[in-house]
Each structure stands twice: as C-alpha cells, then as structure tokens.
Amino acid sequence: MGSYLFPLTAVLIWSVNTVVSKLAADSIAAAEIGFFRWLVAAVLFTPFVLPSVWRQRAEVRAQLPRLVVLGLLGMVVYQSLAYYAAHLTTATHMGIIGSLTPMMVLALSTALLGQRLSWGAVLGSLLAIAGVSLVVSSGDPASLFTQGLNGGDALMFIAMLAYAVYNILLKRWTMPRLATVQLLYLQVLVAVAAQLPLYLLAPKTGLNAANLPLVAFAGIMASIAAPLLWMTSVARIGPSRASMFFNLTPIFTALIAVAALGEPLAAYHAAGGALTIAGLLLAELWKQPLRAPRPTAATSCG
C-alpha cells in the first residue's frame, strides 16, 4: 500500500503545478518559466549529485542517447507544452486531459512491453475517454466532430502523449548502474540545455515578486520532488499501474483551480471527473485478463 503513496503524491504536486502554470501565464513568458524551473532544479541538485555522476561518467557516456531522449520527452516536450497550453485553455481542462495518460500508457505497454490487457484496464480507459470528451466539449461530445479541440487542449494532448512514451521508455530502458536521483539530474541537465536557445530567443518578462514564487514551486516541487516520486513509483509498480493515478488529476486540479483561480465548475466537470475516477477503480480492481492464457503443451496433453 505504501508504494501507492509515491504516484499519489506526485500527481497531487503536478495538479498544483497545473494551476501554477495557469497563474504563470499572466506573469511570466512560457519560455522563461520553462527554462528557469529546470535551472533551479539543476543548481540545487549539482552540489549533491554531480560528484557521484562524475564517478559514473563511463556509464553516463554509454547511456547518453537514451538520457537525451528521456530528458527531451519527459522534461522538455511534456512540461513546455503545458505552459503554452495554459495560455489557451483552463487549468481544469488541462487536468482532465491529463487523465488520458493511463490509456496511452496502456496501449504502448501492450504494444511494446507485451503487457496483457485486462477487462478493467480496457473498460476503465473507455470511461476515462468518455469523461475527458465530456469536459473538453463543454458537455457536448458531438461538437468535437464538427468543431475539434481548441489549441490549448490539443497542446495538452500532445504533452500527455509525450509523457506516456516517456513512462514506457523509463521502464524499458533499465539503467541499473545509475541511481534514480542520478537519472533525474541528468535529464534535468538535458532540459536546461534544450530550453536555453528557446529562452534566449523568446520575449522576456523577467523575474519579479509576482512570478518568483511560481518559479520556485515549479523548480523545486514539480521538477525535483514529483519526478523523484514518480520515477520511484514506475520502478516499484510499473508504468501502467502508476499512470492510472493520473485519473485523479481532474479532481485535484479542479478543486485547486476553484480555490486558487475561481474557475467555475459545471455539471459536466463533475460528470467527467466521476467517470475518470470510476475508470481508475475499475482498472485497479478488475484484473481478469481480456483473453485467457493459451494452455501449454503439457497442459493440453493432460
């Protein structure tokens, strides 16, 4: 049971950070907070982690291509697109779209890791899709076929797809010689390097009293604490089970957004959130395989 506290706490932190992203949209440019959050994390990590990483430099060099891919997917694409999405959609919508991550991880796990599907996972994912469709369409899912998604919602879909791929690769590309904190630190360095050109070219607001607390939360809690908790949870319970906790994102984000931003809650928000929670419970509790395992030769011969 204790293993579930890791993804639960990580998702709670990221839900708060979704609201922080929305607050940041009015006080700092997306490219700025995207760069500064990882710079803060790198500065705080370096004194404690760099010496051990240097001793492991041969292993780091061997794993460098994988580390770059992980850093770009999990730290740059996923996080940066969320900041741009915050300019175009609500925090509540961003949180509920995040609940599609389990479905994406499930599909990728089945295709790439050979994971067997269960009835609960399949039906739970369908419930999550129904819930998200209800919310992003403002209670009219049929309108998605005629009007499509708004730009912010589309960016969040791409961001969550990138994070789903990140979770799969994190499980598939085992690097036993590197500790979890070392893996995270190296990915943070990739994020700093990748975000630097965008930061230098983009318009700048500058750090001030209004946005400094937002950068601090993003740099410490969302960039250090939450990823460490998440990477630990993926290692302990696997990407599919860990990602199911993203179904709690709509509830956490909506409640925080109402309190902090005054975003209104409609009936379709409640219905969509309820569907995603039902999906989480269904996937966790109904483990019956979609297909019964084939009998072995010994079994079939009696």
Side-chain angles (χ1 to χ4, degrees):
M1 194 67 179
S3 295
Y4 292 121
L5 290 176
F6 291 95
L8 181 64
T9 307
V11 167
L12 178 58
I13 293 171
W14 278 323
S15 297
V16 174
N17 196 56
T18 300
V19 176
V20 168
S21 300
K22 188 62 181 177
L23 290 169
D26 296 325
S27 61
I28 187 171
E32 284 183 290
I33 190 169
F35 172 72
F36 281 131
R37 67 175 289 181
W38 297 118
L39 182 63
V40 168
V43 169
L44 293 176
F45 262 139
T46 294
F48 305 101
V49 187
L50 182 59
S52 65
V53 167
W54 179 252
R55 290 191 294 270
Q56 294 280 80
R57 60 188 179 276
E59 178 67 13
V60 172
R61 192 180 303 112
Q63 300 289 354
L64 190 58
R66 292 181 173 184
L67 291 167
V68 170
V69 172
L70 290 172
L72 290 176
L73 285 174
M75 312 299 168
V76 179
V77 177
Y78 165 53
Q79 304 289 355
S80 297
L81 288 183
Y83 287 122
Y84 287 100
H87 288 267
L88 303 171
T89 191
T90 66
T92 301
H93 275 213
M94 292 170 68
I96 292 180
I97 290 170
S99 67
L100 281 181
T101 303
M103 181 201 68
M104 297 175 181
V105 172
L106 177 65
L108 292 170
S109 294
T110 302
L112 300 178
L113 301 181
Q115 177 174 307
R116 290 171 57 196
L117 290 173
S118 68
W119 282 103
V122 172
L123 296 179
S125 294
L126 292 176
L127 284 178
I129 294 172
V132 171
S133 299
L134 193 64
V135 171
V136 300
S137 64
S138 299
D140 182 18
S143 67
L144 293 176
F145 295 100
T146 56
Q147 301 175 13
L149 299 172
N150 71 47
D153 291 341
L155 286 176
M156 276 304 296
F157 273 113
I158 297 172
M160 300 320 297
L161 178 59
Y163 202 65
V165 175
Y166 170 82
N167 275 275
I168 295 299
L169 295 179
L170 192 64
K171 184 67 175 179
R172 191 171 190 179
W173 289 347
T174 56
M175 306 180 201
R177 296 185 181 179
L178 295 175
T180 299
V181 69
Q182 293 173 322
L183 283 173
L184 177 57
Y185 174 64
L186 291 164
Q187 292 173 52
V188 167
L189 294 183
V190 170
V192 172
Q195 294 274 65
L196 180 58
L198 185 60
Y199 166 73
L200 294 175
L201 294 173
K204 297 174 183 60
T205 304
L207 296 174
N208 53 50
N211 60 40
L212 197 55
L214 305 178
V215 173
F217 182 89
I220 298 172
M221 297 303 296
S223 301
I224 296 177
L228 280 174
L229 290 166
W230 188 256
M231 292 171 72
T232 302
S233 70
V234 169
R236 288 192 175 196
I237 64 176
S240 295
R241 297 184 73 185
S243 66
M244 283 297 172
F245 282 82
F246 269 103
N247 283 330
L248 296 172
T249 304
I251 303 301
F252 290 159
T253 305
L255 293 176
I256 298 166
V258 168
L261 303 176
E263 288 188 1
L265 277 181
Y268 60 81
H269 287 131
L275 286 172
T276 58
I277 294 297
L280 170 64
L281 293 174
L282 197 60
E284 282 297 303
L285 298 177
W286 192 5
K287 299 297 186 182
Q288 181 182 345
L290 198 61
R291 293 180 179 179
R294 294 180 180 180
T296 62
T299 303
S300 60
C301 292

